[in-house]
Amino acid sequence: MADTNKRKLIGTSFRRVDAVGKVSGRTQFADDLSFPRMVFMKLLRSPLPHAQIVSIDTSAAERAPGVVGVLTGSDVPVPFGILPVSHDEHALCPDKVRFVGDPVAAVAALTEEQAQAALALVRVEWKQLDTIADYDDALDASKDLIHTYGDDHNFHKKVSLRFGDPEAGFKQADLVLEDTMFFDGNTHLPLEQHATIAVPEGDGRVAVWSSTQTPHYLHKALTKVLGLPAPWIRVIALTNGGGFGGKSDPFNHEIAAAKMALNLGRPVKITLTREEVFQCHRGRHPTLMSIRTGFRKDGSMTAQHLKTLLDGGAYGSYGVASTYYTGALQTVTYNLPHYQFDGARVWTNKPPCGPKRGHGTPQPRFALEVQLDKAAHALGLDPAAMRLKQLQPKDSITANWLRVGSMGLGPCIEAVMRGSKWLERRNAMPPGRGLGIACSSYLSGAGLPINWNHMPHSGVQLKLDRSGGVAVFCGQTEIGQGSDSILAACVAEILGISLQEIRLCVADTDLTPVDLGSYSSRVTLMMGNAAVQAAERAREILARAAAEELKLPGANIVFADGRVFDAADPARGMSFAAAVQAAESRYGTIGTTGSYTPPRAPGRYRGAGVGPSPAYSYSACIVEVDVDPATGIVRVPDVWIAHDVGRALNPTLVAGQVEGSIYMGIGEALMEESAFRRLPEKLSSALVHKFPNMLEYKSPTFLDMPRVHTSIIEEPDANGPFGAKEVGQGPLLPVMPAVSNAIFHALGVRMDQVPIHPWMVFKALEEKRRGGVGRYGPKAFPAVDYGASLDVPTPAEGGDGKARNADDIGVRGGTMSETQRQSQEKPC
Amino acid sequence: MKNFDWITPATPEAAVQAAAQAGRAFLGGGTDLLPLMKSGLREPTGVVQLKGLTGMERLELTADGITIGASITLAALCTDTLVQRSLPAVFDAARHAATPLVRNRATVGGNLCQRPRCWYFRHPDYACSKKGGDTCYAIEGENKFHAIFDNTTCNIVHPSNLGPAFWAHDAVVVVLGPKGERRIPVAEFWVRPEEDMRTEVALEPGELITSVSCKPLSGRSGSAFEEVNEKQSYDWGLVACAARLTLDGDKASDVRIVIGAVAPVPLRREAAEAVLNGKVPNEAAAWAAADAAIAGATPLRDNAYKVTMLRACVKNAILTAAARARKS
């Protein structure tokens, strides 16, 4: 591989390949597409949070003006879901609804207005069931069940893992802190509403164009529900107008549109309203947490026991993974020798939660980082220095068997301390001003695929043209993060050509090799590695042909500036196109492939599949707050953040992801909440979104955005392409705890909950004035029976990655057994 | 949204005539009417647009004070040096409103006539008392943004920023209707839910606001408008206060304190004014006046914080107005 210094694209802020299209409005999003004879579909959604469908009568809707087709649950009876262990959703609910917004019928008409008008003519007779609104309802065993599978009653999933000997660890501690904290739910708020167009292609085939982050998984769900051979279904993901995890599940509207198109033999389009986007949700799980940690006098941790309780909403979605993720990454930042994690997810009659940026990890990260701040205060330590002293070493294995490779958290902490003048300013802040620090880490792609198999997670195929152009085929999806640009740059860099010579063909299940999708911060690392491999293979073929052509057998052939030449004598060479022609003359049409499969993780216990990653990114963040105790308003004038991205393939794109994360983090810290309210009793007492629109769902605007001081830290990881790690999610995580810690520094009150509203600041100040601790947060963690723990010896204890008592515990519930799945899959 | 006729009169008189037909609505900037139409709360058969009507876009010093045409945009108001100099509270109030995009469209008349933001009122499924039903859902429901004064029958808060600021400048609202022109002192412009549940302003059917006349500052006087927001744009204030005072030596006189976003209509707080009148408007006096301004608040389950917040807001408005008076 060429020396870093000689790289032309990688490491530079080259212009995004989609920049001109985006700024000139030429980029086509799903809702921009139109096909001849296209009709419009709308979904009738449940007005009730939990009810049996007694009967459904669509006859009047079928006769309504313009209506060409109507579907109900019996037309699409096969269940689906993103995780194989929770295929619990239907394109249209066949027998019961589980949240306000669950779809029960689809109507297609010549215009959207006609479809909308016809929905009102569908008559549904309901039998109401208990509304499971919150933890209390979910833990109440006398209430109706939302699903018939799961761990017990309205528990979807319970997990209990013990690594090492936490009790022994607590005995070694000089200080044990126990806190109850709450992280409210919030939603992704992509500017683009989901849209899908299904186009029948004759011969029973159908193409589905959609705003999805995961065309591969949508393809699988369509195949299952439509009952067609997989090759008959083509999924094309359009550039997404923002995803953030909200478009990572296969959705009911996508499947209903495909079924409708096949029935009608004409294209069917559906674009969701903003209200429906809120109903699709899959956002951050509201999570209640109990965290108990032992500390030595120097601030190092001896043990931790973390309990989480996730409010999952109405369906499984990614929930089993989300539950594990609330425990998995507690160990990768600071050395934690003994660790117990108990996690559980309950069903409630609300839109399903799922993977929002950070997926399950921001909540426990908040708890950990706020508690570290409390420990530093109690022990009289500087919270930044205390963190620096107990970093998880690079190239190590954590107590829960995660393999850490490169680890740049130390330089990150030092960078933000320097930038914010932490040591000089922290003890000299004006009234109401405070500085808080927090750190985090995130995956560069999940180590295991969603559908367990041994195949690559990402594939890239190259077609080299005798014109000198290179077509790059890959299933990856551009969701705004810049993955198209990274794909093109990885290939162009290796082949020494410019981005203009690259033609991309992406996210098309008929034409491109599988890439699992734009989730879990996996694309740069996995697609990048596959692209580098494909390009290196092409370079090898071309180099051989060029050496022959130049009559320089064994020469060191270099690819740069659109030329292929002898390293020893750069004048002896040819154009890239000539090299392709030389190769094509000798070997025929030139094409190569590359693929990437993550390394096997060392954990061997049940649950070890969630958490491993080829590489972990690291972030440190210092937030300055300006709090007015008279109004309770918290302003954030400045944020210093340093992110270890391994290697910045494009520093501008990296900084963009960091700044976007800060933006989202400020929203989660101070405003955003998936708040629900019950309708008054006389109106059905249903549980509805507390206003599903962008005005009432408060998220920051330009004026709320702090000055962001970004430092990019590069600790290259051997597993990343050119050393690169992720940046899409990690920098979000430290923002929320850093805000809370800064408020403590400013006012001396603890905010054990986000978002932090002015009235919470008032309450904590009032409590402090009355001589209390001055805290706002949940009072208690409910009694949850997590069951017996899997007992996993740590690497330090000489463990082998397996649980000691796996046989005693066996396979727990929480997931659909094969029989359950089959029974659910039977047509009604 | 349903189809409607689009009517473009040339004069205020023609607009009033066009609106006399049942089912028609006036459209200024449309920043409130269009959302109401989209959510099905209003379904006019005809929309009478007010852009470019004679005299409705003037902004000038007249014998009545400063006359602001009802079609003046908030953007024009908060970039005008006459307004900044003579009606600072109005200037502040316009500048705090919404976003630059909205301010470019939204008009003075529309700001006074905008309907409440109460989420029960705005949701088409709730037949709340304001929409002819028999219940105020906010009383027992979610009420963190609702009224802390006068909240026994309907818990809306009036969303207008300009309302309190105009009142602090003793404004007169000039309206034109089928029966001719009326001049309504701003104190009489607001309608409480107890008087008429269906409206917030004293306009007869078909009446149009043509202008608002405000009393400019004179002598050593200052005014200010303050609001407290969780979000700094795309949002309405949680509490607001407009204050005006004149310095008589170093003592305050002719004080006006009007609070907003805390009751179904803006409220003038004469008790607070009495506390400040005759005192040096320093921090202690401002807090004392603020205490008087919040006296009698009756917060609901979720909005007691607004009382604390309002106290700080009133204090801030007084101190800003006083500082401006000292500089004048």
Side-chain angles (χ1 to χ4, degrees):
Chain A
M1 203 176 288
D3 186 83
T4 318
N5 301 330
K6 291 182 187 155
R7 289 201 187 112
K8 300 290 177 168
L9 285 166
I10 293 301
T12 73
S13 288
F14 59 88
R15 191 170 77 190
R16 291 176 68 121
V17 296
D18 53 356
V20 173
K22 288 267 170 72
V23 299
S24 63
R26 265 179 293 184
T27 300
Q28 284 211 309
F29 297 94
D31 188 40
D32 292 326
L33 296 187
S34 185
F35 291 86
R37 300 184 69 242
M38 186 169 85
V39 295
F40 297 86
M41 189 177 83
K42 296 292 283 183
L43 297 175
L44 178 70
R45 293 179 181 271
S46 169
L48 300 174
H50 199 192
Q52 297 282 354
I53 300 171
V54 177
S55 68
I56 183 160
D57 175 4
T58 59
S59 53
E62 283 161 36
R63 291 191 303 269
V67 170
V68 293
V70 176
L71 297 176
T72 61
S74 57
D75 296 303
V76 273
V78 180
F80 66 94
I82 181 69
L83 299 188
V85 293
S86 39
H87 279 203
D88 58 3
E89 298 185 55
H90 288 85
L92 300 166
C93 299
D95 48 11
K96 75 180 269 188
V97 291
R98 295 178 173 89
F99 70 98
V100 172
D102 226 356
V104 293
V107 174
L110 299 178
T111 69
E112 202 172 15
E113 290 75 13
Q114 288 170 329
Q116 180 71 43
L119 290 183
L121 303 174
V122 177
R123 293 276 161 262
V124 188
E125 192 188 332
W126 308 99
K127 178 174 174 272
Q128 283 220 55
L129 301 168
D130 294 339
T131 299
I132 312 299
D134 49 28
Y135 297 120
D136 289 343
D137 289 343
L139 269 55
D140 181 346
S142 71
K143 300 263 187 187
D144 290 332
L145 292 176
I146 296 178
H147 288 281
T148 52
Y149 82 104
D151 243 331
D152 56 79
H153 201 64
N154 275 317
F155 277 98
H156 172 205
K157 178 73 183 172
K158 288 178 177 177
V159 177
S160 185
L161 300 169
R162 186 170 61 244
F163 305 98
D165 188 348
E167 282 317 310
F170 285 122
K171 279 188 195 129
Q172 294 160 16
D174 300 308
L175 170 74
V176 176
L177 292 181
E178 191 164 359
D179 288 289
T180 309
M181 307 213 190
F182 181 63
F183 199 117
D184 207 341
N186 47 59
T187 202
H188 316 81
L189 213 68
L191 284 181
E192 180 208 25
Q193 293 139 249
H194 308 49
T196 297
I197 306 98
V199 184
E201 294 190 321
D203 303 341
R205 293 156 69 111
V206 63
V208 178
W209 307 67
S210 197
S211 43
T212 173
Q213 299 177 232
T214 53
H216 173 65
Y217 295 126
L218 175 57
H219 185 240
K220 289 187 91 75
L222 284 165
T223 304
K224 185 184 178 208
V225 180
L226 298 177
L228 295 178
W232 293 17
I233 299 167
R234 176 183 185 189
V235 176
I236 299 161
L238 282 299
T239 285
N240 287 200
F244 313 108
K247 297 168 183 166
S248 317
D249 287 57
F251 283 103
N252 41 49
H253 65 268
E254 296 174 309
I255 296 170
K259 180 70 181 175
M260 187 75 87
L262 285 164
N263 277 10
L264 300 179
R266 59 198 288 182
V268 173
K269 178 174 192 172
I270 179 167
T271 302
L272 301 190
T273 63
R274 180 56 60 179
E275 184 166 5
E276 289 178 298
V277 174
F278 275 90
Q279 289 164 341
C280 283
H281 194 46
R282 321 292 158 148
R284 180 91 62 233
H285 284 75
T287 303
L288 191 60
M289 294 166 287
S290 162
I291 182 168
R292 180 168 176 248
T293 308
F295 296 91
R296 290 192 193 84
K297 282 192 178 115
D298 65 357
S300 59
M301 291 187 280
T302 59
Q304 182 172 102
H305 184 180
L306 172 70
K307 291 192 277 186
T308 66
L309 188 56
L310 294 79
D311 178 345
Y315 289 100
S317 183
Y318 284 79
V320 169
S322 316
T323 307
Y324 277 110
Y325 272 128
T326 61
L329 299 191
Q330 292 299 82
T331 54
V332 295
T333 40
Y334 319 109
N335 185 256
L336 182 57
H338 304 283
Y339 176 45
Q340 168 132 10
F341 166 59
D342 296 326
R345 182 179 194 256
V346 293
W347 310 111
T348 54
N349 293 120
K350 292 185 278 196
C353 294
K356 188 190 170 193
R357 204 175 198 172
H359 193 189
T361 70
Q363 299 97 321
R365 177 55 59 180
F366 175 79
L368 170 59
E369 296 290 331
V370 171
Q371 196 173 57
L372 282 171
D373 205 68
K374 293 183 182 187
H377 186 72
L379 296 167
L381 301 170
D382 178 282
M386 180 183 120
R387 284 170 168 84
L388 272 175
K389 276 192 206 136
Q390 52 178 319
L391 298 178
Q392 177 68 20
K394 68 174 182 178
D395 299 323
S396 63
I397 294 176
T398 65
N400 60 340
W401 293 91
L402 302 180
R403 187 188 286 119
V404 170
S406 82
M407 204 286 189
L409 185 53
C412 287
I413 294 174
E414 285 158 3
V416 292
M417 286 175 76
R418 256 192 326 273
S420 64
K421 300 192 167 58
W422 172 264
L423 292 174
E424 302 94 298
R425 292 179 61 225
R426 198 167 141 83
N427 294 322
M429 303 293 286
R433 287 262 178 166
L435 289 174
I437 187 168
C439 303
S440 70
S441 174
Y442 200 69
L443 318 165
S444 306
L448 287 177
I450 286 173
N451 298 283
W452 200 81
N453 62 57
H454 291 292
M455 290 181 279
H457 292 211
S458 188
V460 170
Q461 203 163 2
L462 303 186
K463 189 216 81 177
L464 279 67
D465 192 87
R466 59 184 73 168
S467 69
V470 177
V472 182
F473 300 83
C474 178
Q476 68 83 18
T477 307
E478 171 68 59
I479 61 169
Q481 82 279 47
S483 58
D484 279 0
S485 303
I486 296 303
L487 176 61
C490 284
V491 174
E493 181 68 47
I494 302 289
L495 295 179
I497 56 179
S498 77
L499 293 172
Q500 279 75 10
E501 271 77 63
I502 304 280
R503 169 68 67 184
L504 295 181
C505 175
V506 298
D508 182 328
T509 57
D510 264 12
L511 302 184
T512 61
V514 167
D515 173 276
L516 294 180
S518 285
Y519 67 97
S520 91
S521 270
R522 50 174 298 289
V523 179
T524 290
L525 188 137
M526 301 199 187
M527 170 204 77
N529 278 326
V532 166
Q533 186 181 61
E536 284 178 342
R537 287 173 175 172
R539 188 175 62 182
E540 221 174 284
I541 295 169
L542 264 52
R544 196 154 16 113
E548 279 181 32
E549 193 80 8
L550 295 167
K551 301 191 171 48
L552 288 169
N556 180 10
I557 300 291
V558 175
F559 289 64
D561 299 328
R563 288 183 72 246
V564 177
F565 54 90
D566 179 14
D569 181 5
R572 301 185 67 176
M574 62 187 78
S575 70
F576 179 78
V580 176
Q581 288 158 18
E584 198 172 341
S585 309
R586 285 168 177 77
Y587 317 121
T589 303
I590 306 295
T592 59
T593 61
S595 53
Y596 180 75
T597 309
R600 198 165 174 217
R604 295 283 177 274
Y605 58 91
R606 187 169 179 80
V610 180
S613 175
Y616 297 90
S617 76
Y618 289 91
S619 313
C621 177
I622 289 176
V623 164
E624 181 160 353
V625 295
D626 182 0
V627 198
D628 180 351
T631 62
I633 297 288
V634 178
R635 300 273 185 239
V636 180
D638 288 274
V639 171
W640 293 267
I641 183 148
H643 182 77
D644 167 23
V645 68
R647 178 75 77 202
L649 302 189
N650 180 322
T652 297
L653 286 180
V654 170
Q657 284 285 6
V658 172
E659 287 165 18
S661 293
I662 301 295
Y663 166 79
M664 195 172 258
I666 294 293
E668 296 198 15
L670 297 175
M671 297 176 197
E672 300 190 35
E673 56 194 353
S674 285
F676 290 82
R677 59 158 178 257
R678 278 179 190 271
L679 295 184
E681 204 61 49
K682 60 193 288 191
L683 275 181
S684 82
S685 77
L687 195 64
V688 298
H689 257 294
K690 198 189 277 178
F691 250 72
N693 66 45
M694 293 177 88
L695 197 58
E696 298 291 353
Y697 179 85
K698 296 193 190 305
S699 67
T701 67
F702 281 117
L703 295 181
D704 303 294
M705 191 63 190
R707 285 180 293 269
V708 180
H709 313 273
T710 304
S711 306
I712 298 174
I713 304 297
E714 297 185 307
E715 292 283 335
D717 196 288
N719 285 337
F722 308 97
K725 306 193 285 191
E726 79 87 39
V727 63
Q729 311 192 59
L732 164 73
L733 275 67
V735 178
M736 295 72 78
V739 168
S740 173
N741 293 342
I743 291 173
F744 175 74
H745 189 225
L747 299 181
V749 292
R750 285 291 176 191
M751 309 311 292
D752 285 348
Q753 172 168 346
V754 283
I756 299 162
H757 292 298
W759 50 90
M760 299 176 180
V761 175
F762 284 153
K763 284 223 166 106
L765 284 169
E766 197 181 306
E767 194 195 272
K768 196 177 162 75
R769 265 194 302 275
R770 287 191 191 144
V773 288
R775 162 187 184 270
Y776 190 92
K779 299 270 184 289
F781 192 87
V784 176
D785 176 12
Y786 289 94
S789 306
L790 270 184
D791 181 7
V792 185
T794 65
E797 292 173 327
D800 57 2
K802 290 183 185 146
R804 235 180 233 141
N805 57 346
D807 295 339
D808 305 341
I809 290 184
V811 175
R812 296 165 54 109
T815 56
M816 281 186 163
S817 70
E818 204 48 46
T819 9
Q820 272 173 324
R821 215 178 312 156
Q822 277 161 2
S823 71
Q824 290 227 351
E825 283 169 22
K826 274 186 202 138
C828 298
Chain B
M1 200 192 285
K2 296 196 171 158
N3 282 341
F4 52 85
D5 294 330
W6 180 243
I7 301 137
T8 55
T11 62
E13 291 75 16
V16 167
Q17 203 178 356
Q21 203 174 315
R24 291 200 165 165
F26 291 118
L27 178 132
T31 56
D32 194 43
L33 182 64
L34 289 178
L36 288 168
M37 288 167 70
K38 279 187 174 176
S39 55
L41 290 181
R42 285 198 72 175
E43 295 185 332
T45 53
V47 170
V48 181
Q49 77 121 346
L50 304 175
K51 200 174 172 186
L53 301 196
T54 322
M56 281 184 55
E57 286 171 12
R58 68 205 159 114
L59 205 176
E60 60 197 4
L61 192 58
T62 62
D64 287 345
I66 293 174
T67 295
I68 303 167
S71 293
I72 286 285
T73 62
L74 301 188
L77 210 53
C78 69
T79 48
D80 188 275
T81 51
L82 175 66
V83 175
Q84 185 171 23
R85 203 169 52 242
S86 306
L87 306 171
V90 174
F91 184 86
D92 293 346
R95 193 166 46 101
H96 273 297
T99 71
L101 281 173
V102 172
R103 293 198 293 267
N104 284 339
R105 295 284 312 176
T107 63
V108 167
N111 186 273
L112 295 177
C113 294
Q114 63 183 308
R115 303 307 309 277
R117 299 307 312 176
C118 170
W119 40 38
Y120 296 103
F121 171 73
R122 289 270 163 176
H123 199 294
D125 292 351
Y126 293 97
C128 77
S129 44
K130 198 156 228 346
K131 290 185 294 201
D134 58 2
T135 310
C136 173
Y137 293 105
I139 292 177
E140 302 205 327
E142 304 279 343
N143 48 36
K144 68 179 177 183
F145 298 140
H146 285 79
I148 52 173
F149 293 97
D150 301 340
N151 52 2
T152 48
T153 47
C154 166
N155 280 276
I156 62 156
V157 297
H158 202 281
S160 171
N161 269 11
L162 293 180
F166 281 154
W167 200 342
H169 281 278
D170 298 339
V172 172
V173 182
V174 183
V175 306
L176 184 68
K179 296 178 205 156
E181 190 177 278
R182 290 201 295 148
R183 299 171 60 80
I184 311 171
V186 71
E188 295 161 27
F189 182 72
W190 311 107
V191 175
R192 291 160 194 272
E194 290 77 8
E195 298 167 282
D196 183 351
M197 189 63 88
R198 305 295 288 269
T199 183
E200 297 81 46
V201 292
L203 293 175
E204 299 293 333
E207 276 190 329
L208 169 69
I209 302 177
T210 54
S211 67
V212 177
S213 294
C214 293
K215 184 176 153 189
L217 294 179
S218 64
R220 293 183 64 222
S221 55
S223 76
F225 174 90
E226 295 268 350
E227 66 176 23
V228 179
N229 304 65
E230 266 197 281
K231 259 174 87 167
Q232 297 185 58
S233 64
Y234 274 107
D235 206 2
W236 280 264
L238 296 166
V239 298
C241 177
R244 178 171 67 85
L245 57 85
T246 300
L247 286 178
D248 190 358
D250 60 353
K251 305 232 166 53
S253 67
D254 195 23
V255 176
R256 293 285 180 286
I257 293 172
V258 186
I259 54 180
V262 290
V265 299
L267 295 181
R268 180 171 169 192
R269 305 305 276 168
E270 281 162 316
E273 294 170 4
V275 168
L276 199 60
N277 266 321
K279 305 247 171 58
V280 177
N282 56 19
E283 184 136 355
W287 278 120
D291 283 330
I294 62 168
T298 52
L300 303 165
R301 188 191 64 224
D302 298 333
N303 66 8
Y305 75 95
K306 286 180 69 161
V307 181
T308 315
M309 206 176 247
L310 176 66
R311 184 170 173 263
C313 183
V314 172
K315 185 259 311 179
N316 289 342
I318 292 170
L319 291 180
T320 307
R324 287 174 177 169
R326 282 186 207 104
K327 269 195 219 158
S328 65

